[in-house]
mmCIF file with all atom_site columns, all heavy atoms in Angstrom:
data_model
loop_
_atom_site.group_PDB
_atom_site.id
_atom_site.type_symbol
_atom_site.label_atom_id
_atom_site.label_alt_id
_atom_site.label_comp_id
_atom_site.label_asym_id
_atom_site.label_entity_id
_atom_site.label_seq_id
_atom_site.pdbx_PDB_ins_code
_atom_site.Cartn_x
_atom_site.Cartn_y
_atom_site.Cartn_z
_atom_site.occupancy
_atom_site.B_iso_or_equiv
_atom_site.pdbx_formal_charge
_atom_site.auth_seq_id
_atom_site.auth_comp_id
_atom_site.auth_asym_id
_atom_site.auth_atom_id
_atom_site.pdbx_PDB_model_num
ATOM 1   N N   . GLY A 1 33 ? 12.719 5.399  1.324   1.00 0.00 ? 33 GLY A N   1
ATOM 2   C CA  . GLY A 1 33 ? 11.690 5.329  0.288   1.00 0.00 ? 33 GLY A CA  1
ATOM 3   C C   . GLY A 1 33 ? 10.790 6.547  0.288   1.00 0.00 ? 33 GLY A C   1
ATOM 4   O O   . GLY A 1 33 ? 10.413 7.058  -0.774  1.00 0.00 ? 33 GLY A O   1
ATOM 5   N N   . LEU A 1 34 ? 10.468 7.032  1.479   1.00 0.00 ? 34 LEU A N   1
ATOM 6   C CA  . LEU A 1 34 ? 9.583  8.194  1.584   1.00 0.00 ? 34 LEU A CA  1
ATOM 7   C C   . LEU A 1 34 ? 10.227 9.436  0.979   1.00 0.00 ? 34 LEU A C   1
ATOM 8   O O   . LEU A 1 34 ? 9.545  10.263 0.356   1.00 0.00 ? 34 LEU A O   1
ATOM 9   C CB  . LEU A 1 34 ? 9.228  8.435  3.050   1.00 0.00 ? 34 LEU A CB  1
ATOM 10  C CG  . LEU A 1 34 ? 8.076  9.398  3.338   1.00 0.00 ? 34 LEU A CG  1
ATOM 11  C CD1 . LEU A 1 34 ? 6.797  8.958  2.638   1.00 0.00 ? 34 LEU A CD1 1
ATOM 12  C CD2 . LEU A 1 34 ? 7.842  9.507  4.843   1.00 0.00 ? 34 LEU A CD2 1
ATOM 13  N N   . SER A 1 35 ? 11.531 9.565  1.131   1.00 0.00 ? 35 SER A N   1
ATOM 14  C CA  . SER A 1 35 ? 12.223 10.718 0.546   1.00 0.00 ? 35 SER A CA  1
ATOM 15  C C   . SER A 1 35 ? 12.141 10.688 -0.976  1.00 0.00 ? 35 SER A C   1
ATOM 16  O O   . SER A 1 35 ? 12.026 11.744 -1.626  1.00 0.00 ? 35 SER A O   1
ATOM 17  C CB  . SER A 1 35 ? 13.684 10.753 1.000   1.00 0.00 ? 35 SER A CB  1
ATOM 18  O OG  . SER A 1 35 ? 14.408 9.649  0.481   1.00 0.00 ? 35 SER A OG  1
ATOM 19  N N   . ILE A 1 36 ? 12.168 9.484  -1.561  1.00 0.00 ? 36 ILE A N   1
ATOM 20  C CA  . ILE A 1 36 ? 12.053 9.351  -3.016  1.00 0.00 ? 36 ILE A CA  1
ATOM 21  C C   . ILE A 1 36 ? 10.639 9.706  -3.461  1.00 0.00 ? 36 ILE A C   1
ATOM 22  O O   . ILE A 1 36 ? 10.434 10.405 -4.466  1.00 0.00 ? 36 ILE A O   1
ATOM 23  C CB  . ILE A 1 36 ? 12.418 7.920  -3.450  1.00 0.00 ? 36 ILE A CB  1
ATOM 24  C CG1 . ILE A 1 36 ? 13.890 7.633  -3.129  1.00 0.00 ? 36 ILE A CG1 1
ATOM 25  C CG2 . ILE A 1 36 ? 12.155 7.724  -4.941  1.00 0.00 ? 36 ILE A CG2 1
ATOM 26  C CD1 . ILE A 1 36 ? 14.300 6.192  -3.342  1.00 0.00 ? 36 ILE A CD1 1
ATOM 27  N N   . LEU A 1 37 ? 9.638  9.251  -2.719  1.00 0.00 ? 37 LEU A N   1
ATOM 28  C CA  . LEU A 1 37 ? 8.253  9.578  -3.051  1.00 0.00 ? 37 LEU A CA  1
ATOM 29  C C   . LEU A 1 37 ? 7.989  11.070 -2.930  1.00 0.00 ? 37 LEU A C   1
ATOM 30  O O   . LEU A 1 37 ? 7.257  11.651 -3.738  1.00 0.00 ? 37 LEU A O   1
ATOM 31  C CB  . LEU A 1 37 ? 7.288  8.792  -2.156  1.00 0.00 ? 37 LEU A CB  1
ATOM 32  C CG  . LEU A 1 37 ? 6.770  7.460  -2.720  1.00 0.00 ? 37 LEU A CG  1
ATOM 33  C CD1 . LEU A 1 37 ? 7.909  6.464  -2.899  1.00 0.00 ? 37 LEU A CD1 1
ATOM 34  C CD2 . LEU A 1 37 ? 5.698  6.862  -1.808  1.00 0.00 ? 37 LEU A CD2 1
ATOM 35  N N   . GLU A 1 38 ? 8.583  11.699 -1.924  1.00 0.00 ? 38 GLU A N   1
ATOM 36  C CA  . GLU A 1 38 ? 8.421  13.139 -1.745  1.00 0.00 ? 38 GLU A CA  1
ATOM 37  C C   . GLU A 1 38 ? 9.040  13.901 -2.917  1.00 0.00 ? 38 GLU A C   1
ATOM 38  O O   . GLU A 1 38 ? 8.468  14.892 -3.408  1.00 0.00 ? 38 GLU A O   1
ATOM 39  C CB  . GLU A 1 38 ? 9.075  13.584 -0.435  1.00 0.00 ? 38 GLU A CB  1
ATOM 40  C CG  . GLU A 1 38 ? 8.316  13.187 0.816   1.00 0.00 ? 38 GLU A CG  1
ATOM 41  C CD  . GLU A 1 38 ? 7.142  14.118 1.104   1.00 0.00 ? 38 GLU A CD  1
ATOM 42  O OE1 . GLU A 1 38 ? 6.752  14.902 0.213   1.00 0.00 ? 38 GLU A OE1 1
ATOM 43  O OE2 . GLU A 1 38 ? 6.612  14.050 2.220   1.00 0.00 ? 38 GLU A OE2 1
ATOM 44  N N   . ALA A 1 39 ? 10.200 13.452 -3.381  1.00 0.00 ? 39 ALA A N   1
ATOM 45  C CA  . ALA A 1 39 ? 10.856 14.119 -4.499  1.00 0.00 ? 39 ALA A CA  1
ATOM 46  C C   . ALA A 1 39 ? 10.012 14.020 -5.764  1.00 0.00 ? 39 ALA A C   1
ATOM 47  O O   . ALA A 1 39 ? 9.863  14.997 -6.513  1.00 0.00 ? 39 ALA A O   1
ATOM 48  C CB  . ALA A 1 39 ? 12.241 13.509 -4.732  1.00 0.00 ? 39 ALA A CB  1
ATOM 49  N N   . ALA A 1 40 ? 9.420  12.835 -5.998  1.00 0.00 ? 40 ALA A N   1
ATOM 50  C CA  . ALA A 1 40 ? 8.562  12.663 -7.173  1.00 0.00 ? 40 ALA A CA  1
ATOM 51  C C   . ALA A 1 40 ? 7.281  13.473 -7.034  1.00 0.00 ? 40 ALA A C   1
ATOM 52  O O   . ALA A 1 40 ? 6.732  13.957 -8.027  1.00 0.00 ? 40 ALA A O   1
ATOM 53  C CB  . ALA A 1 40 ? 8.242  11.179 -7.365  1.00 0.00 ? 40 ALA A CB  1
ATOM 54  N N   . ARG A 1 41 ? 6.818  13.637 -5.822  1.00 0.00 ? 41 ARG A N   1
ATOM 55  C CA  . ARG A 1 41 ? 5.599  14.413 -5.574  1.00 0.00 ? 41 ARG A CA  1
ATOM 56  C C   . ARG A 1 41 ? 5.752  15.860 -6.016  1.00 0.00 ? 41 ARG A C   1
ATOM 57  O O   . ARG A 1 41 ? 4.785  16.495 -6.443  1.00 0.00 ? 41 ARG A O   1
ATOM 58  C CB  . ARG A 1 41 ? 5.274  14.353 -4.074  1.00 0.00 ? 41 ARG A CB  1
ATOM 59  C CG  . ARG A 1 41 ? 3.990  15.039 -3.666  1.00 0.00 ? 41 ARG A CG  1
ATOM 60  C CD  . ARG A 1 41 ? 3.863  15.045 -2.155  1.00 0.00 ? 41 ARG A CD  1
ATOM 61  N NE  . ARG A 1 41 ? 2.505  15.265 -1.696  1.00 0.00 ? 41 ARG A NE  1
ATOM 62  C CZ  . ARG A 1 41 ? 2.156  15.282 -0.418  1.00 0.00 ? 41 ARG A CZ  1
ATOM 63  N NH1 . ARG A 1 41 ? 3.066  15.094 0.515   1.00 0.00 ? 41 ARG A NH1 1
ATOM 64  N NH2 . ARG A 1 41 ? 0.901  15.481 -0.066  1.00 0.00 ? 41 ARG A NH2 1
ATOM 65  N N   . ALA A 1 42 ? 6.975  16.368 -5.943  1.00 0.00 ? 42 ALA A N   1
ATOM 66  C CA  . ALA A 1 42 ? 7.220  17.763 -6.318  1.00 0.00 ? 42 ALA A CA  1
ATOM 67  C C   . ALA A 1 42 ? 6.908  18.018 -7.784  1.00 0.00 ? 42 ALA A C   1
ATOM 68  O O   . ALA A 1 42 ? 6.618  19.161 -8.173  1.00 0.00 ? 42 ALA A O   1
ATOM 69  C CB  . ALA A 1 42 ? 8.675  18.130 -6.019  1.00 0.00 ? 42 ALA A CB  1
ATOM 70  N N   . ALA A 1 43 ? 6.943  16.962 -8.596  1.00 0.00 ? 43 ALA A N   1
ATOM 71  C CA  . ALA A 1 43 ? 6.666  17.126 -10.024 1.00 0.00 ? 43 ALA A CA  1
ATOM 72  C C   . ALA A 1 43 ? 5.175  17.191 -10.325 1.00 0.00 ? 43 ALA A C   1
ATOM 73  O O   . ALA A 1 43 ? 4.783  17.652 -11.398 1.00 0.00 ? 43 ALA A O   1
ATOM 74  C CB  . ALA A 1 43 ? 7.304  15.975 -10.805 1.00 0.00 ? 43 ALA A CB  1
ATOM 75  N N   . MET A 1 44 ? 4.344  16.727 -9.389  1.00 0.00 ? 44 MET A N   1
ATOM 76  C CA  . MET A 1 44 ? 2.889  16.768 -9.586  1.00 0.00 ? 44 MET A CA  1
ATOM 77  C C   . MET A 1 44 ? 2.206  16.993 -8.244  1.00 0.00 ? 44 MET A C   1
ATOM 78  O O   . MET A 1 44 ? 1.444  16.138 -7.765  1.00 0.00 ? 44 MET A O   1
ATOM 79  C CB  . MET A 1 44 ? 2.395  15.485 -10.273 1.00 0.00 ? 44 MET A CB  1
ATOM 80  C CG  . MET A 1 44 ? 3.026  14.194 -9.779  1.00 0.00 ? 44 MET A CG  1
ATOM 81  S SD  . MET A 1 44 ? 2.635  12.731 -10.806 1.00 0.00 ? 44 MET A SD  1
ATOM 82  C CE  . MET A 1 44 ? 0.859  12.659 -10.741 1.00 0.00 ? 44 MET A CE  1
ATOM 83  N N   . PRO A 1 45 ? 2.464  18.135 -7.616  1.00 0.00 ? 45 PRO A N   1
ATOM 84  C CA  . PRO A 1 45 ? 1.992  18.396 -6.252  1.00 0.00 ? 45 PRO A CA  1
ATOM 85  C C   . PRO A 1 45 ? 0.476  18.449 -6.097  1.00 0.00 ? 45 PRO A C   1
ATOM 86  O O   . PRO A 1 45 ? -0.036 18.182 -5.013  1.00 0.00 ? 45 PRO A O   1
ATOM 87  C CB  . PRO A 1 45 ? 2.623  19.747 -5.913  1.00 0.00 ? 45 PRO A CB  1
ATOM 88  C CG  . PRO A 1 45 ? 2.840  20.400 -7.245  1.00 0.00 ? 45 PRO A CG  1
ATOM 89  C CD  . PRO A 1 45 ? 3.210  19.279 -8.161  1.00 0.00 ? 45 PRO A CD  1
ATOM 90  N N   . LEU A 1 46 ? -0.249 18.796 -7.149  1.00 0.00 ? 46 LEU A N   1
ATOM 91  C CA  . LEU A 1 46 ? -1.703 18.888 -7.043  1.00 0.00 ? 46 LEU A CA  1
ATOM 92  C C   . LEU A 1 46 ? -2.373 17.517 -7.131  1.00 0.00 ? 46 LEU A C   1
ATOM 93  O O   . LEU A 1 46 ? -3.545 17.391 -6.773  1.00 0.00 ? 46 LEU A O   1
ATOM 94  C CB  . LEU A 1 46 ? -2.257 19.800 -8.148  1.00 0.00 ? 46 LEU A CB  1
ATOM 95  C CG  . LEU A 1 46 ? -1.779 21.251 -8.127  1.00 0.00 ? 46 LEU A CG  1
ATOM 96  C CD1 . LEU A 1 46 ? -2.409 22.030 -9.261  1.00 0.00 ? 46 LEU A CD1 1
ATOM 97  C CD2 . LEU A 1 46 ? -2.102 21.905 -6.783  1.00 0.00 ? 46 LEU A CD2 1
ATOM 98  N N   . ASP A 1 47 ? -1.645 16.528 -7.599  1.00 0.00 ? 47 ASP A N   1
ATOM 99  C CA  . ASP A 1 47 ? -2.226 15.199 -7.797  1.00 0.00 ? 47 ASP A CA  1
ATOM 100 C C   . ASP A 1 47 ? -1.915 14.222 -6.677  1.00 0.00 ? 47 ASP A C   1
ATOM 101 O O   . ASP A 1 47 ? -2.684 13.294 -6.426  1.00 0.00 ? 47 ASP A O   1
ATOM 102 C CB  . ASP A 1 47 ? -1.750 14.607 -9.123  1.00 0.00 ? 47 ASP A CB  1
ATOM 103 C CG  . ASP A 1 47 ? -2.400 15.283 -10.316 1.00 0.00 ? 47 ASP A CG  1
ATOM 104 O OD1 . ASP A 1 47 ? -3.635 15.276 -10.390 1.00 0.00 ? 47 ASP A OD1 1
ATOM 105 O OD2 . ASP A 1 47 ? -1.678 15.831 -11.158 1.00 0.00 ? 47 ASP A OD2 1
ATOM 106 N N   . VAL A 1 48 ? -0.769 14.381 -6.019  1.00 0.00 ? 48 VAL A N   1
ATOM 107 C CA  . VAL A 1 48 ? -0.399 13.487 -4.921  1.00 0.00 ? 48 VAL A CA  1
ATOM 108 C C   . VAL A 1 48 ? -0.929 14.102 -3.623  1.00 0.00 ? 48 VAL A C   1
ATOM 109 O O   . VAL A 1 48 ? -0.382 15.074 -3.109  1.00 0.00 ? 48 VAL A O   1
ATOM 110 C CB  . VAL A 1 48 ? 1.118  13.284 -4.845  1.00 0.00 ? 48 VAL A CB  1
ATOM 111 C CG1 . VAL A 1 48 ? 1.456  12.248 -3.759  1.00 0.00 ? 48 VAL A CG1 1
ATOM 112 C CG2 . VAL A 1 48 ? 1.669  12.812 -6.190  1.00 0.00 ? 48 VAL A CG2 1
ATOM 113 N N   . LEU A 1 49 ? -1.999 13.530 -3.103  1.00 0.00 ? 49 LEU A N   1
ATOM 114 C CA  . LEU A 1 49 ? -2.704 14.141 -1.976  1.00 0.00 ? 49 LEU A CA  1
ATOM 115 C C   . LEU A 1 49 ? -2.065 13.811 -0.635  1.00 0.00 ? 49 LEU A C   1
ATOM 116 O O   . LEU A 1 49 ? -1.890 14.689 0.203   1.00 0.00 ? 49 LEU A O   1
ATOM 117 C CB  . LEU A 1 49 ? -4.170 13.698 -1.994  1.00 0.00 ? 49 LEU A CB  1
ATOM 118 C CG  . LEU A 1 49 ? -4.930 14.041 -3.277  1.00 0.00 ? 49 LEU A CG  1
ATOM 119 C CD1 . LEU A 1 49 ? -6.338 13.474 -3.225  1.00 0.00 ? 49 LEU A CD1 1
ATOM 120 C CD2 . LEU A 1 49 ? -4.963 15.548 -3.495  1.00 0.00 ? 49 LEU A CD2 1
ATOM 121 N N   . THR A 1 50 ? -1.757 12.547 -0.415  1.00 0.00 ? 50 THR A N   1
ATOM 122 C CA  . THR A 1 50 ? -1.150 12.142 0.856   1.00 0.00 ? 50 THR A CA  1
ATOM 123 C C   . THR A 1 50 ? -0.110 11.060 0.630   1.00 0.00 ? 50 THR A C   1
ATOM 124 O O   . THR A 1 50 ? -0.228 10.253 -0.300  1.00 0.00 ? 50 THR A O   1
ATOM 125 C CB  . THR A 1 50 ? -2.191 11.596 1.868   1.00 0.00 ? 50 THR A CB  1
ATOM 126 O OG1 . THR A 1 50 ? -2.783 10.396 1.346   1.00 0.00 ? 50 THR A OG1 1
ATOM 127 C CG2 . THR A 1 50 ? -3.269 12.610 2.153   1.00 0.00 ? 50 THR A CG2 1
ATOM 128 N N   . LEU A 1 51 ? 0.893  11.044 1.496   1.00 0.00 ? 51 LEU A N   1
ATOM 129 C CA  . LEU A 1 51 ? 1.877  9.974  1.553   1.00 0.00 ? 51 LEU A CA  1
ATOM 130 C C   . LEU A 1 51 ? 1.891  9.447  2.978   1.00 0.00 ? 51 LEU A C   1
ATOM 131 O O   . LEU A 1 51 ? 1.867  10.225 3.932   1.00 0.00 ? 51 LEU A O   1
ATOM 132 C CB  . LEU A 1 51 ? 3.278  10.488 1.180   1.00 0.00 ? 51 LEU A CB  1
ATOM 133 C CG  . LEU A 1 51 ? 3.475  11.023 -0.239  1.00 0.00 ? 51 LEU A CG  1
ATOM 134 C CD1 . LEU A 1 51 ? 4.887  11.593 -0.389  1.00 0.00 ? 51 LEU A CD1 1
ATOM 135 C CD2 . LEU A 1 51 ? 3.231  9.925  -1.261  1.00 0.00 ? 51 LEU A CD2 1
ATOM 136 N N   . SER A 1 52 ? 1.905  8.137  3.138   1.00 0.00 ? 52 SER A N   1
ATOM 137 C CA  . SER A 1 52 ? 1.903  7.564  4.477   1.00 0.00 ? 52 SER A CA  1
ATOM 138 C C   . SER A 1 52 ? 2.784  6.322  4.511   1.00 0.00 ? 52 SER A C   1
ATOM 139 O O   . SER A 1 52 ? 3.153  5.762  3.473   1.00 0.00 ? 52 SER A O   1
ATOM 140 C CB  . SER A 1 52 ? 0.478  7.218  4.919   1.00 0.00 ? 52 SER A CB  1
ATOM 141 O OG  . SER A 1 52 ? -0.121 6.290  4.039   1.00 0.00 ? 52 SER A OG  1
#
Side-chain angles (χ1 to χ4, degrees):
L34 193 57
S35 66
I36 296 172
L37 266 64
E38 287 280 14
R41 184 186 199 179
M44 42 190 301
L46 299 180
D47 287 302
V48 185
L49 302 176
T50 64
L51 297 175
S52 59

